[in-house]
Every structure is written in C-alpha cells, then in structure tokens.
C-alpha cells in the first residue's frame, strides 16, 4: 500500500515540534536530561523501514525520465525522504545521543582545585590570558572526550554507517549526497581551490592579529589558543555588554523589523551553568515559535553569536506560514546559514560599527574578523575533506584520528589534537552547508550594497528585499535560490578573491 504523504507530513511536523522544543529546554540549561527517547517512540512509524521505502518509491515515481526530480512534489518528497532516513538513523542511535548530551551537561574537569564544567571549558579558555593554563584546560577537556564521549560517538558513527548500507547505499557519504542533492565531491574540489587561493593571504591576515593579542604566530600557535584568539578580549571596549541586545534590536529596526512586536521570537541571553556554550536557534514551530539562545561570555563574540543566531531567527520568523512543512522546516540549511552569516557580518562591518556602536576606528575589528573568517573557512574545507574519507565505503576507522589531525593541522597551520576526531563531526555533512552558506552570503551582501548602499542595514527597503527572500523558507536549495532571485551561480571565486585581497592589504 502506498504511503499517505499528507498524513506523514502532519505527523512529521508534530514530531519536529516536540523534538526541537526538547532540545531547546536541554541545551538552554532549563533541564539536565534530554528526554528524546519517548518522542522517538511516539513517532516510531515515521522512521520505520516501511516509511523509508515508501518515501523512496514515491520519490522514484516523481522523477523525470532523465532521473531528476519532477517539480515541487518531487522536491518535497525528497526532503521528506531525507528527513525519514536521518530520523531512522536518529531513532536507532537516540540512546547514545541522549547519553552524550547528559554527559556533556554533567561532566566537569578539575584544574588546580577549580572545577570547570565540560561545556564551560571553551568559555574558560577564551577568558584565560595564560597560555599554559589554556593548554591545561584543553588537555583536561580532551581527556574527558576520549574517556567518556568518544565511545558513544563511535557507536553512533558505526551504527549510522551500518544502517546506510542496510538501506541500500554503498556508504553514508553516498547516502548524504543523494538525499541532500549536493555534489559533495565537487564542493570539496571547489573549496580546495579556495584554500589554495588563500594560502598566501592566510599568514598575512593572521600573524598581525595574533601579535596584537600577544599570541604565538602560525606554526607555534596551539589549538588551545584559538578560543582566546576568537574571543579578542582587546576589542571589548568596542563591544559594551550592556548594549548587546539594543544593538541587535536597533539594527533590525533599521531594516523595518520591530523585534519587540514579534511574539513568535523569544530571546534567551541568560547565563545558566549547563547551558550550551554554542549559540543556537531552536524552531519548534515555523514561523510561530522561535527561540534565539546565546551564552554570553563578553566582547565581540557575544555580538557575533547573537547576530548569527538572530539571522536564523528572523529568517524562520518571516517564513510564509502557508508554505508546506517541508519548505518551512526542511530543505537546504545552506540558505538559513547564509542569512545568519549576513547578519553576523554586520558586527565587523566598518559602517555598522561606526553607526551603531560609535567605534571611531573600526579597522582593528574588521581585520580581526577577516582573520577569524579565514580560519573558519579553511577549517571547514578541511573538515569536508576529512568527512568524505570518514564516511566513505572503505574507511579504516583506526587511521582516522591521525588523518583528522593531519588535515586540520595542514589547513589551519595549527597543530590539531586527535581527541576530537569524532566529536567535531556534525551529522549529515553539515560542514557542506556552512561552506555553501559563506559563498551565498557574499552574494547577498554584494547585492544589498549595490542596491541600497554600504549602510543597507539602515534601509527599510533593504529589509523588504530580505523579507521577500525570508518568506520563501527553504523551498529552493542555495544554488537554485540565487539563480532564481539574482540570476547568478553559487560562486566561491568571489569569496576567495575577497579574502585574498584582504591579505594583501594586511599590515
């Protein structure tokens, strides 16, 4: 009997609402337990083998003779198949995922009689001026990863690989490429070119910024120093903590969005001991219930995190409520990440810094942000290369910790520890979404500047232009969206050129 797609969509939306709300409550520090097992059990039928095969058959029926998906119905069905398959894997590994989350919330490291929560360790590193103590924190945290977390991460990885093969794919890598519609190998090749084109700019951008912060140069810099570098404590004077929320709401007001009149957006900046240090946006119901969560640590990072997650929140909050579930909750997350990067980028934009924060000399902030962006781009390009090997059909897991360290060290020119070879991997090749989003953000920003000027963030017309994009949800993947809206291709050359030229101007 054919799968009832309408009933499936309704159940999938209820499941997504319950799961997202549970993750919000746990990661925001409102509850220690992550109780996802009962949710998966209530909706077990969504992720059974019969549902997966039914959706696969429906997707095949909706393909054109050439093998491409046929119109909106074909696209919606592929999005549902992607949802079902990853849910199938998630249900099979939910016990390990819940245990990982509980351990991350409960584990503590002890250093010189001081107890630091596992999730709080990166914040402690960022705020620690002493290099040796930063290294000690990193080593203690890595020891917890190896002893307590990696065994569960490995179980999840191995079970996910096994299930992908059981479902008929040669490998997890092949499964993710087909379900996402992203040519992962082609993307990796394009990002290798980006890395090659920025090889010369990399030390030119980074070393002056490292010197300004009293950190070692590339080649001597340790992984434990990076949170301190990203934190940029010397720039705190330009980013007053008391002005954080107002800077965000005033910026949105300039674009014609009154955050105080958005009952669907809930901003959470409170500190809690078990709150995740990784800012996030949770979307139980799009566009009706959106949570924007940031764990403040002080300085530029707070602004960048709030604006990044604010980009997600405003995107989802403006999605047309009449769109089907697949286009409001599923699709290519490269799209929502591009809007997150767009708003985050304002916090290092000289015109915004002068206008919103009254920064007299914004260049130090802009230079630091360019350096950080290049570190992240090169790191994620290396992560994509690593994950293509990790999730390939003939992987030797025993060799992957060393391979992880080799690839990440080569791209960042920082000696990367092996401990996080599993914990640094997001499901479903999410690294690919980030890389595509950086390219798409460059195009959005250039278009906004050409249309509305360098102070586009003060233009309600620019806000209207953005809201028109936001209303579309994620019906189209990144490459099709930029083609439809601007008649352009998803282009990495502009991103590489922007960063390479910045390097030539570094002092």
């Amino acid at each position: 009997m054919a799968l009832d797609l309408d009933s499936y969509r309704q159940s999938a939306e209820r499941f997504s609402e319950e799961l997202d709300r549970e993750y919000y409550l746990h990661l925001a520090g409102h509850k220690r337990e992550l109780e996802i097992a009962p949710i998966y059990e209530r909706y077990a039928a969504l992720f059974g083998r019969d549902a997966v095969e039914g959706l696969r058959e429906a997707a095949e029926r909706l393909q054109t003779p050439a093998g491409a998906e046929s119109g909106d119905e074909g696209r919606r069905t592929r999005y549902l198949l992607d949802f079902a398959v990853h849910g199938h894997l998630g249900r099979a590994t939910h016990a390990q995922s819940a245990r990982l989350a509980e351990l991350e919330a409960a584990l503590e490291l002890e250093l010189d009689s001081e107890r630091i929560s596992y999730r709080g360790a990166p914040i402690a590193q960022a705020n620690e001026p002493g290099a040796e103590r930063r290294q000690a924190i990193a080593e203690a945290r890595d020891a917890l990863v190896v002893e307590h977390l990696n065994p569960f991460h490995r179980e999840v990885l191995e079970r996910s690989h096994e299930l992908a093969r059981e479902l008929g794919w040669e490998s997890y890598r092949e499964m993710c490429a087909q379900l996402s519609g992203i040519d992962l190998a082609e993307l990796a090749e394009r990002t290798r070119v980006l890395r090659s084109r920025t090889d010369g700019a990399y030390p030119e951008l980074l070393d002056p910024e490292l010197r300004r912060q009293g950190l070692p140069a590339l080649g001597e810099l340790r992984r434990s120093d990076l949170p301190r570098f990203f934190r940029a404590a010397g720039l705190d004077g330009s980013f007053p903590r008391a002005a954080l929320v107002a800077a965000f709401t005033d910026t949105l007001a300039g674009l014609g969005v009154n955050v105080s009149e958005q009952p669907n957006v809930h901003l959470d900046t409170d500190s809690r001991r078990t709150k995740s240090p990784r800012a996030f946006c949770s979307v139980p119901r799009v566009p009706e219930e959106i949570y924007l969560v940031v764990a403040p640590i002080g300085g530029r990072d707070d602004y960048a995190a709030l604006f990044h997650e604010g980009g997600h929140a405003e995107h989802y909050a403006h999605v047309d409520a009449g769109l089907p579930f697949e286009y409001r909750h599923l699709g290519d997350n490269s799209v929502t990440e591009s809007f997150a990067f767009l708003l985050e980028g304002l916090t290092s934009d000289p015109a915004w810094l002068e206008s919103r924060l009254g920064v007299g000399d914004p260049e130090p902030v802009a230079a630091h942000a360019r350096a950080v962006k290049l570190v992240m781009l090169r790191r994620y390009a290396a992560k994509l290369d690593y994950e293509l090997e990790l999730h390939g059909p003939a992987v030797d897991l025993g060799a992957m910790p060393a391979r992880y360290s080799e690839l990440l060290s080569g791209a960042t020119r920082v000696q990367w520890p092996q401990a996080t070879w599993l914990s640094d991997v997001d499901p479903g090749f999410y690294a690919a979404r980030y890389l595509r989003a950086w390219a798409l953000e460059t195009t959005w920003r250039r278009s906004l500047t050409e249309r509305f000027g360098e102070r586009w963030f003060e233009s309600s017309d620019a806000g209207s232009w953005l809201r028109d994009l936001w209303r579309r949800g994620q019906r189209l993947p990144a490459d099709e969206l930029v083609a439809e809206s601007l008649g352009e291709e998803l282009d990495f050359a502009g991103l590489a050129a922007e960063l390479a030229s910045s390097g030539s101007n570094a002092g």
Side-chain angles (χ1 to χ4, degrees):
M1 185 174 67
L3 186 69
D4 184 337
L5 291 180
D6 287 336
S7 295
Y8 188 92
R9 287 171 177 129
Q10 292 169 14
S11 294
E13 185 155 14
R14 290 194 297 271
F15 166 82
S16 295
E17 176 180 345
E18 292 185 29
L19 190 71
D20 267 37
R21 190 175 294 116
E22 180 66 18
Y23 270 107
Y24 160 70
L25 291 171
H26 172 73
L27 292 174
H30 291 295
K31 56 182 295 190
R32 184 176 292 273
E33 301 79 13
L34 179 66
E35 297 175 292
I36 59 175
I39 300 173
Y40 272 100
E41 289 310 308
R42 282 197 295 276
Y43 294 93
L46 287 173
F47 310 116
R49 186 68 177 263
D50 289 345
V52 171
E53 295 301 338
L55 284 164
R56 181 181 277 174
E57 290 171 7
E60 290 173 352
R61 286 197 304 272
L62 291 165
Q63 285 182 343
T64 67
E69 62 195 19
S70 179
D72 268 337
E73 195 61 27
R75 183 184 295 110
R76 289 176 65 185
T77 305
R78 177 167 62 83
Y79 288 175
L80 287 176
L81 177 59
D82 187 19
F83 166 83
V85 168
H86 284 290
H88 181 72
L89 272 58
R91 181 168 179 256
T93 59
H94 66 71
Q96 294 93 332
S97 297
R99 184 60 181 146
L100 280 165
E102 290 164 5
L103 284 169
E104 287 182 4
L107 285 173
E108 293 183 325
L109 55 96
E110 186 169 353
L111 200 64
D112 300 331
S113 300
E114 179 186 0
R115 301 190 73 84
I116 302 171
S117 71
Y118 172 83
R119 286 180 173 167
I123 296 175
Q125 281 179 268
N127 287 319
E128 173 55 56
E132 294 311 312
R133 185 169 175 81
R134 286 197 300 270
Q135 179 67 9
I137 294 170
E139 289 176 354
R141 189 174 192 266
D142 284 350
L144 293 178
V145 171
V146 171
E147 180 180 357
H148 298 284
L149 303 182
N150 276 354
F152 292 102
H153 281 301
R154 183 154 182 165
E155 284 184 35
V156 171
L157 178 77
E158 292 179 334
R159 185 63 177 138
S160 297
H161 285 185
E162 179 183 16
L163 287 168
R165 292 190 296 270
E166 288 178 5
L167 291 171
W169 281 284
E170 181 187 27
S171 65
Y172 183 89
R173 180 179 72 194
E174 181 194 32
M175 181 192 80
C176 291
Q178 184 177 334
L179 293 174
S180 68
I182 299 173
D183 187 332
L184 296 171
E186 188 267 345
L187 176 62
E189 181 56 37
R190 295 176 75 183
T191 56
R192 286 184 206 117
V193 172
L194 184 148
R195 276 168 49 193
S196 176
R197 292 190 61 186
T198 59
D199 277 344
Y202 191 59
E204 292 178 14
L205 277 174
L206 255 70
D207 281 338
E209 297 308 310
L210 292 168
R211 283 197 301 273
R212 288 188 185 103
Q213 295 189 46
L215 293 170
L218 286 174
E220 299 176 12
L221 193 72
R222 294 183 288 193
R223 171 66 182 88
S224 58
D225 296 319
L226 285 178
R228 183 66 176 174
F229 174 57
F230 296 153
R231 168 74 174 80
L235 300 176
D236 280 1
S238 298
F239 295 94
R241 189 165 185 164
L244 173 64
V245 174
F248 176 71
T249 57
D250 288 351
T251 299
L252 268 294
L255 291 166
V257 177
N258 189 332
V259 177
S260 65
E261 295 181 1
Q262 288 184 293
N264 54 339
V265 178
H266 308 275
L267 177 59
D268 178 351
T269 60
D270 294 337
S271 295
R272 303 183 190 93
R273 181 167 177 77
T274 59
K275 191 175 189 179
S276 172
R278 187 173 183 175
F280 67 96
C281 175
S282 184
V283 292
R285 293 184 300 140
V286 177
E288 295 91 352
E289 184 182 354
I290 314 295
Y291 296 97
L292 171 53
V293 185
V294 180
I297 63 172
R300 191 195 71 84
D301 259 3
D302 281 356
Y303 281 74
L306 175 57
F307 276 67
H308 182 98
E309 298 305 325
H312 286 306
E314 292 304 324
H315 174 215
Y316 287 119
H318 284 90
V319 168
D320 182 349
L323 287 175
F325 161 71
E326 298 94 316
Y327 297 160
R328 288 181 288 114
H329 281 267
L330 308 180
D332 179 10
N333 279 350
S334 308
V335 174
T336 191
E337 293 294 350
S338 75
F339 297 127
F341 285 137
L342 179 68
L343 290 198
E344 177 187 349
L346 287 175
T347 65
S348 58
D349 180 274
W352 184 88
L353 289 163
E354 292 171 348
S355 172
R356 292 295 174 200
L357 296 184
V359 177
D361 180 12
E363 181 51 31
V365 176
H368 176 263
R370 286 192 295 269
V372 169
K373 183 175 182 178
L374 190 49
V375 172
M376 298 301 290
L377 271 166
R378 292 173 65 90
R379 182 170 106 80
Y380 270 84
K383 271 171 58 93
L384 179 57
D385 279 341
Y386 167 69
E387 290 175 20
L388 285 170
E389 294 185 22
L390 179 70
H391 296 310
V395 62
D396 174 7
L397 290 182
M400 294 315 292
R403 187 67 175 137
Y404 167 77
S405 177
E406 177 188 356
L407 287 169
L408 273 290
S409 299
T412 62
R413 303 182 198 175
V414 174
Q415 187 54 50
W416 214 269
Q418 297 183 15
T420 51
W421 72 283
L422 291 168
S423 60
D424 192 25
V425 176
D426 294 316
F429 282 90
Y430 206 86
R433 269 68 169 193
Y434 281 130
L435 289 163
R436 285 158 57 89
W438 270 307
L440 185 54
E441 182 275 338
T442 303
T443 302
W444 295 147
R445 178 162 38 85
R446 189 193 68 241
S447 296
L448 283 162
T449 303
E450 289 173 352
R451 285 170 166 80
F452 309 107
E454 66 172 10
R455 293 178 180 264
W456 57 265
F457 51 84
E458 295 176 343
S459 167
S460 60
D461 288 338
S464 296
W465 189 83
L466 281 171
R467 288 192 294 276
D468 178 65
L469 290 171
W470 291 342
R471 287 189 189 98
R472 306 181 199 189
Q474 294 191 154
R475 172 179 167 267
L476 297 177
D479 48 344
E480 293 184 34
L481 178 61
V482 75
E484 180 183 87
S485 57
L486 298 175
E488 299 186 21
E489 294 182 356
L490 191 63
D491 177 29
F492 284 85
L495 179 58
E498 181 177 273
L499 290 166
S501 63
S502 297
S504 66
N505 297 325

